[in-house]
């Protein structure tokens, strides 16, 4: 029987409630020694919240609290689990922890509750990792993706791939074990087509760009000539006055960052220095940083002042390859524009070209719609964790190597080595091919009470 662990499951700091969690064979006995229910005595009813007090070794109350007992296997860890809901803050929960550890509970390691849930078969490894993903989600889109992972979406995809690969390996192994009864032609029937289909499925499930956007948000750079209205647009999209707006060209000297939510997705907006040649050392540094920000962005908004004719530098900027999807925004439509969509279209291959007034808000809905179209988030069941994507890429590489070996006429037993290695790589995603070192690495990133 595993020892009984205890940990504070809520964030430290001032708050209304703090939760101290116990799990293990002695959880109920330890709970009964530190919690005195007002109207109930052991044995406690399963999953029923009770009012009472946390008491010390002498039976003296130290905090008014709620308590709950949850019996295995219908718990998070599939062990007996108990919780003390004390007052929030630093002292109350810490006092309960001290009482429990003095009575024999061991302070939980980071992620140890979830690790026990994994070891006891309640969840697989991808679902365990999704727990921290849910906790760390920074947007509704990221939360939805992690909830899908927690419900087993990625696991189902990987297990289907494993089943298909096992079936292909079984045919190969049958020939290698019984060459007189099963010839190679029969054993390899459909093998190449099956391997090619698996490679395509695994490669298609890896969406590094979409995964990064889920974790960090869509990076959008505002760029253009000085005084085109980038900072006004920056403030308008954020819904607050973050950037300094003046009539003086070159006010923005550095990259200014802000974020806002767009259809549940976090957007990281970058307001950059106006792109022009300058003798000012500080402004030149700002322009260099602006170009670097655009190069690293997922999408760019090229802001053009529609109240002025295009000059040569602006025409060159419109024709330039910015290295990421870009929309041209004809700004200042409220100030008697002289530029038309046709004027700009003649100098650029960027699409679309939108008109707006960042000052009045006219056309902002079109800008938001364009940004939403650039998100291209992973579909449900896609792999979005870096560890999962790396393992899938490795499996696809092994299968590709096996295909090449078959095409080159290499003996079947040599190709079979790559097939087994691919199966092993897929097993690292769920749990079939894990070791203690990998588990330690994964669960060390968890918070203590989870």
């Amino acid at each position: 029987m595993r020892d009984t662990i205890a940990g504070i499951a809520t964030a430290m700091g001032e708050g209304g409630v703090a939760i101290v969690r116990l799990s293990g064979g002695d959880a109920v006995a330890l709970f009964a020694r530190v919690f005195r229910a007002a109207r109930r005595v052991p044995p406690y009813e399963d999953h029923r919240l009770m009012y009472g007090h946390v008491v010390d070794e002498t039976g003296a109350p130290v905090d008014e609290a709620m308590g709950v007992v949850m019996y295995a296997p219908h718990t998070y860890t599939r062990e007996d689990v108990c919780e003390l809901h004390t007052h929030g803050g630093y002292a109350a929960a810490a006092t309960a922890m001290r009482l429990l550890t003095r009575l024999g509970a061991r302070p939980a390691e980071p992620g140890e509750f979830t690790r026990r849930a994994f070891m006891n078969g309640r969840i697989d490894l991808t679902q365990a990792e999704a727990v921290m993903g849910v906790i760390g989600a920074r947007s509704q889109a990221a939360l939805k993706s992690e909830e899908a992972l927690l419900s087993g979406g990625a696991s189902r995809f990987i297990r289907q791939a494993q089943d298909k690969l096992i079936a292909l390996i079984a045919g190969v192994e049958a020939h290698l074990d019984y060459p007189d009864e099963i010839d190679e032609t029969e054993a390899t029937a459909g093998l190449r087509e099956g391997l090619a289909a698996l490679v395509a499925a695994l490669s298609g499930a890896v969406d590094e760009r979409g995964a990064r956007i889920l974790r960090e948000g869509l990076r959008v750079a505002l760029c253009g000539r000085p005084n085109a209205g980038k900072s006004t647009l920056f403030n308008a999209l954020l819904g607050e006055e973050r950037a300094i707006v003046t009539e003086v060209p070159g006010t923005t000297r550095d990259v200014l960052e802000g974020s806002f939510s767009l259809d549940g997705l976090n957007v990281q907006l970058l307001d950059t220095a106006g792109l022009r040649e300058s003798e000012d050392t500080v402004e030149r540094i700002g322009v260099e940083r602006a170009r670097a920000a655009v190069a690293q962005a997922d999408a760019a908004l090229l802001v053009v002042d529609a109240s002025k004719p295009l000059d040569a530098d602006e025409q060159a900027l419109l024709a330039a390859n910015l290295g990421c999807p870009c929309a041209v925004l004809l700004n200042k439509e409220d100030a008697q524009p002289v530029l038309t969509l046709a004027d700009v279209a003649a100098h650029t291959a960027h699409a679309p070209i939108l008109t707006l007034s960042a000052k009045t808000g006219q056309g902002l809905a079109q800008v938001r719609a364009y940004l939403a179209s650039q998100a291209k988030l992973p579909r449900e069941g896609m792999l979005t964790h870096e560890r999962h994507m790396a393992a899938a890429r490795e499996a696809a590489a092994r299968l590709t190597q096996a295909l090449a070996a078959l095409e080159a006429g290499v003996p079947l037993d040599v190709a079979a080595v790559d097939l087994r290695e691919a199966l092993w790589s897929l097993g690292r995603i769920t749990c079939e091919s894990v070791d203690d070192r990998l588990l330690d690495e994964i669960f060390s990133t968890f918070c203590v009470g989870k």
Side-chain angles (χ1 to χ4, degrees):
M1 180 182 295
R2 292 193 184 96
D3 55 355
T4 299
I5 57 174
I8 299 176
T10 46
M12 295 299 293
E14 295 182 3
V17 177
I19 298 176
V20 179
R21 178 176 289 162
L22 284 158
S23 182
D26 294 328
V28 178
L30 294 177
F31 172 87
R33 294 182 67 180
V34 300
F35 180 76
R36 180 185 299 158
R39 297 182 180 179
R40 298 180 182 276
V41 295
Y44 301 113
E45 188 176 346
D46 191 16
H47 284 78
R48 185 182 183 92
L49 196 62
M50 300 171 287
Y51 167 76
H53 290 83
V54 176
V55 297
D56 63 16
E57 295 92 333
T58 67
V62 296
D63 186 33
E64 188 178 30
M66 305 291 286
V68 62
V69 173
M70 295 165 278
Y71 296 105
H74 305 295
T75 67
Y76 183 68
T77 62
R78 282 192 174 169
E79 301 173 337
D80 287 344
V81 172
C82 301
E83 290 182 353
L84 293 167
H85 296 206
T86 71
H87 282 94
Y90 295 94
T95 298
M97 273 295 297
R98 284 196 297 272
L99 292 171
L100 290 167
T101 53
R102 282 205 292 263
L103 291 172
R106 175 174 60 79
E109 299 292 332
E112 191 167 2
F113 289 94
T114 303
R115 184 165 184 165
R116 290 192 176 196
F118 163 69
M119 298 299 294
N120 291 331
R122 182 179 175 274
I123 55 177
D124 67 21
L125 200 52
T126 62
Q127 292 171 302
E129 290 170 289
V131 171
M132 276 309 294
V134 168
I135 293 172
R138 300 175 60 186
S139 68
Q140 287 295 321
L143 177 61
K144 182 179 179 181
S145 175
E146 295 296 341
E147 291 284 5
L149 185 61
L150 186 57
S151 67
S155 299
R156 285 191 292 273
F157 168 76
I158 292 300
R159 293 191 192 285
Q160 289 169 0
Q162 288 174 309
D163 290 343
K164 293 174 182 177
L165 181 54
I166 288 171
L168 295 174
I169 292 175
V172 173
E173 298 284 4
H175 166 70
L176 295 177
D177 291 340
Y178 306 102
D180 295 333
E181 300 178 23
I182 303 174
D183 62 29
E184 184 169 337
T185 301
E186 181 182 356
T188 59
L191 179 60
R192 290 175 176 79
E193 294 80 3
L195 293 180
L198 274 176
V199 170
L202 291 171
S203 300
V206 175
D207 185 355
E208 295 184 9
R209 180 182 183 274
R212 182 184 53 73
I213 290 173
L214 275 176
R215 290 193 309 270
E216 304 171 9
L218 183 74
R219 289 180 63 85
V220 178
L222 303 180
C223 60
R225 298 280 290 159
N227 213 31
K230 298 185 299 298
S231 294
T232 302
L233 177 59
F234 181 78
N235 291 339
L237 288 172
L238 294 184
E240 59 178 306
E241 297 296 319
R242 285 286 307 280
I244 297 173
V245 178
T246 73
E247 296 298 325
V248 180
T251 303
T252 302
R253 298 295 188 95
D254 204 348
V255 177
L256 185 62
E257 297 192 27
S259 64
F260 67 96
S261 180
L262 178 65
D263 297 337
L265 175 71
N266 186 46
V267 177
Q268 294 291 330
L269 195 61
L270 310 175
D271 184 20
T272 67
L275 298 176
R276 66 173 179 180
E277 298 299 324
S278 174
E279 298 299 323
D280 186 303
T281 302
V282 176
E283 187 175 0
R284 282 206 309 272
I285 294 174
V287 170
E288 291 173 2
R289 292 183 178 181
R291 296 187 188 280
V294 173
Q296 297 171 4
D298 299 304
L301 298 176
L302 177 53
V303 185
V304 176
D305 185 349
S307 67
K308 299 177 181 178
L310 295 174
D311 59 24
D313 290 337
E314 210 156 30
Q315 292 175 16
L317 186 58
L318 285 167
N321 180 7
L322 298 181
C324 65
C326 176
V328 178
L329 307 184
L330 287 182
N331 190 29
K332 303 187 182 181
E333 285 292 304
D334 59 300
Q336 297 181 340
V338 299
L339 283 180
T340 66
L341 294 175
D343 294 332
V344 175
H347 296 282
T348 185
H350 298 307
I353 303 171
L354 308 175
T355 61
L356 81 152
S357 169
K359 183 176 180 180
T360 67
Q362 171 194 343
L364 283 181
Q366 298 179 76
V367 177
R368 292 190 177 95
Y370 170 75
L371 295 180
S373 72
Q374 295 303 308
K376 297 177 183 176
L377 298 178
R379 303 183 307 276
E380 186 172 342
M382 298 280 279
L383 305 179
T384 56
H385 283 219
E386 180 54 44
R387 191 183 71 81
H388 305 164
M389 292 190 290
R393 285 193 297 267
E394 175 62 23
R398 289 289 187 177
L399 295 178
T400 301
Q401 192 167 307
L403 268 172
L406 292 172
E407 294 296 334
V410 172
L412 197 56
D413 58 342
V414 176
V417 174
D418 285 318
L419 300 184
R420 297 187 196 101
E421 288 293 330
L423 186 62
W424 184 85
S425 294
L426 293 179
R428 286 180 66 81
I429 298 177
T430 49
C431 61
E432 292 88 347
S433 309
V434 297
D435 52 33
D436 287 340
R437 182 177 178 181
L438 175 61
L439 294 179
D440 290 342
E441 180 180 337
I442 291 172
F443 289 106
S444 68
T445 65
F446 281 49
C447 48
V448 170
K450 196 57 180 172

